[in-house]
Amino acid sequence: SEYDRPLDPPAGCSSLRALFSRNNVQLEVEQEQEVKDSFAAVRIHGLYVQRGSLGSFGINLAPMPRDHSQFPLNFMFSEPVLVAGLSPMGAAAADGRIKVGDRIARVNGQWILCQSHLSYLLSELDKEAALDIVVTRHEPLPPPPQGLDGLSDTEIETLAFDHAGVRLRIAEDSWSREQALDVLTARFADAASAAATASASSAATSTSSKGPGKSCLKREGQPPRQTGRVVVTDADPEELDTWTKAEYDRQLSPPPGCQSLRALFRRNNVLMENEQEKEVEQSVASVRLHGVRIVRGKHDGYGVELEKIPDQHEYAPDLMYSELVRISALNDGAVKASGELQCGDRVVKINGQFILCRSHAVYVLEACANDAEMEFVVTRHEELPPAPPGLEDLDDATLETMAFHHAGTTLKIDQDAGGWSRRQVLDLLKGRFANEDEEC
């Protein structure tokens, strides 16, 4: 009942789970905004990649190093993700347009928030017939095509995906032509600053242009459009085909248990979070935990800096979707003053919530920065300690204290009031001590 215990004070939410759910939604909003802002001034490429008869898309991922020359300096909560490699037998390599080093911005209309997020999406979508993948190579915005206002609706729809990564349909009940042109205008360099670039670009593309205003629709060195690409029609959109003005809220056909694309992504995010929590919990099943309660007191903050553990698979070989996070520095603040935590401690929980990745941990710290106290559960990957003598005979208050110190769980033994029973707490604690038979 850990997540479902009543809050005191309630902080606008009836339970800890409700508070975490609200924080996760707010975190996602912050992450999406960071990601969107990071693409405002760079060229993006919308790519429709078909799987065909190949077994998978075969895209290997890696987080962008923080010392990378293109790393967005204002990133706090999200994590840029790069293409680290392409499987020779995968659809992405066969398509030829995705390159090692490309940063992935969106997949099927969803902004990519971190590596674990993208890994989960690709694993869920790996057997789909095709994917919309939006990437950037951090090139400057291109100059606008000549005669943009004179292009046909179909050409504007194609350009909107190629340059903005947005699937749209210009129709009476969808996007207006003006709205689509506004989206496109933001994806080209300002005419004044791009004058020199535009003159050079027009000379380079004039040989492939079939008429005025079409020079940007074909690019040298790029494979021809596949005939099976998305076709925009007035019919109900297929699941992987088109987004309208209400991009995430469109009806799915057929609906895979969700009414809209946004509902599908929300469900996938919940499923991924469950997988991450399960991974993190399993990764500390056989190591000592330390529950520490820090009171902020007169200090301005807690002063904790965090980083992803680079060699995390040495501690958790089966990790797929989550990241291990450790304390990288302790600045002046309540944590340093307490002396109970140290650099190198791996953070497992903050205020009762399992830490799923670095951006998640940073957000929770930011959200709780002004709280009067904060609960940390850390591990130093020590072996489980032996059980104390007479565990069964300890009083309730002692068991409650031990449950936090050894299992990182804040609880109250009071079964009549909906709390934990004494038996449940003893079972929890026995899982946090070494088995005496194994010790022998």
Side-chain angles (χ1 to χ4, degrees):
S1 59
E2 184 177 354
Y3 277 164
D4 300 318
R5 65 182 173 89
L7 288 185
D8 184 25
C13 297
S14 59
S15 69
L16 198 62
R17 180 176 291 278
L19 176 62
F20 288 157
S21 296
R22 186 190 69 180
N23 283 349
N24 284 345
V25 170
Q26 291 173 340
L27 170 62
E28 185 180 325
V29 171
E30 294 284 351
Q31 288 175 313
E32 282 194 3
Q33 192 59 53
E34 278 189 347
V35 173
K36 289 178 184 178
D37 291 346
S38 72
F39 292 107
V42 295
R43 167 80 159 97
I44 60 176
H45 303 264
L47 308 174
Y48 178 75
V49 181
Q50 298 186 32
R51 186 166 61 84
S53 60
L54 299 172
S56 68
F57 291 92
I59 302 174
N60 301 320
L61 308 171
M64 180 184 285
R66 299 188 79 82
D67 57 354
H68 193 285
S69 61
Q70 300 292 348
F71 191 95
L73 297 178
N74 58 341
F75 266 44
M76 288 182 63
F77 307 125
S78 44
E79 175 186 67
V81 185
L82 302 179
V83 176
L86 298 171
S87 170
M89 302 304 293
D95 179 88
R97 290 175 294 169
I98 295 177
K99 309 295 183 185
V100 172
D102 284 356
R103 178 183 164 203
I104 299 181
R106 301 174 100 177
V107 173
N108 279 18
Q110 187 170 21
W111 292 103
I112 299 306
L113 310 181
C114 60
Q115 182 181 351
S116 57
H117 179 215
L118 179 52
S119 296
Y120 182 80
L121 279 181
L122 290 180
S123 69
E124 286 291 299
L125 302 171
D126 202 43
K127 300 304 178 184
E128 298 290 349
L131 293 181
D132 279 348
I133 302 177
V134 179
V135 303
T136 183
R137 286 149 199 162
H138 291 278
E139 309 151 301
L141 292 174
Q146 295 178 359
L148 179 61
D149 290 343
L151 297 180
S152 68
D153 288 354
T154 301
E155 290 169 334
I156 290 174
E157 291 164 351
T158 300
L159 277 175
F161 180 62
D162 288 346
H163 288 269
V166 176
R167 290 284 182 198
L168 57 84
R169 179 167 58 92
I170 298 174
E172 185 175 346
D173 61 343
S174 183
W175 289 69
S176 70
R177 184 178 173 90
E178 290 73 22
Q179 288 171 323
L181 285 171
D182 286 344
V183 168
L184 269 178
T185 301
R187 298 310 308 163
F188 295 114
D190 181 79
S193 64
T197 310
S199 61
S201 175
S202 61
T205 57
S206 60
T207 56
S208 62
S209 176
K210 291 187 176 181
K214 297 185 179 180
S215 61
C216 278
L217 297 180
K218 287 195 173 184
R219 295 182 290 278
E220 281 188 81
Q222 179 168 319
R225 281 277 194 208
Q226 301 182 39
T227 55
R229 73 174 181 86
V230 169
V231 176
V232 181
T233 70
D234 291 330
D236 289 338
E238 294 299 322
E239 183 177 344
L240 291 175
D241 281 2
T242 185
W243 285 272
T244 65
K245 182 162 60 68
E247 189 172 357
Y248 279 158
D249 300 318
R250 67 180 176 86
Q251 295 292 305
L252 289 184
S253 177
C258 297
Q259 292 183 339
S260 69
L261 196 63
R262 180 176 290 279
L264 176 63
F265 287 158
R266 290 288 186 196
R267 186 192 68 178
N268 283 349
N269 285 347
V270 170
L271 291 174
M272 183 178 76
E273 183 180 325
N274 291 340
E275 292 290 338
Q276 289 175 309
E277 283 191 1
K278 192 186 305 179
E279 280 188 346
V280 173
E281 190 169 11
Q282 290 173 347
S283 73
V284 294
S286 58
V287 296
R288 169 75 189 274
L289 296 179
H290 302 267
V292 177
R293 188 172 286 108
I294 307 291
V295 178
R296 186 161 63 90
K298 62 182 180 180
H299 298 281
D300 292 334
Y302 290 90
V304 179
E305 293 187 20
L306 304 171
E307 66 180 1
K308 175 183 174 181
I309 297 178
D311 51 350
Q312 62 180 25
H313 286 93
E314 291 184 15
Y315 303 101
D318 299 328
L319 225 56
M320 289 182 64
Y321 306 123
S322 44
E323 291 178 356
L324 306 189
V325 180
R326 68 186 178 193
I327 297 175
S328 58
L330 291 175
N331 302 321
D332 290 339
V335 173
K336 185 176 181 179
S338 75
E340 297 192 71
L341 299 179
Q342 58 195 37
C343 291
D345 284 353
R346 176 189 159 196
V347 181
V348 180
K349 287 182 174 183
I350 298 176
N351 282 7
Q353 187 172 19
F354 279 110
I355 295 304
L356 311 181
C357 59
R358 181 186 174 276
S359 58
H360 178 218
V362 169
Y363 182 81
V364 174
L365 283 178
E366 290 283 329
C368 301
N370 294 320
D371 289 359
E373 63 178 45
M374 197 178 295
E375 293 178 355
F376 291 86
V377 179
V378 303
T379 182
R380 289 154 194 161
H381 292 279
E382 308 152 303
E383 294 181 354
L384 291 173
L391 179 63
E392 297 269 357
D393 300 325
L394 296 176
D395 60 61
D396 289 354
T398 303
L399 290 178
E400 290 168 353
T401 300
M402 291 184 69
F404 177 62
H405 288 320
H406 289 274
T409 302
T410 301
L411 54 84
K412 184 72 175 174
I413 298 177
D414 189 353
Q415 193 169 8
D416 293 338
W420 291 63
S421 70
R422 184 179 174 87
R423 182 74 267 160
Q424 288 173 320
V425 177
L426 286 169
D427 289 342
L428 172 70
L429 280 172
K430 286 179 180 179
R432 299 310 309 164
F433 296 116
N435 186 296
E436 292 182 2
D437 294 336
E438 291 179 2
E439 290 289 311
C440 297

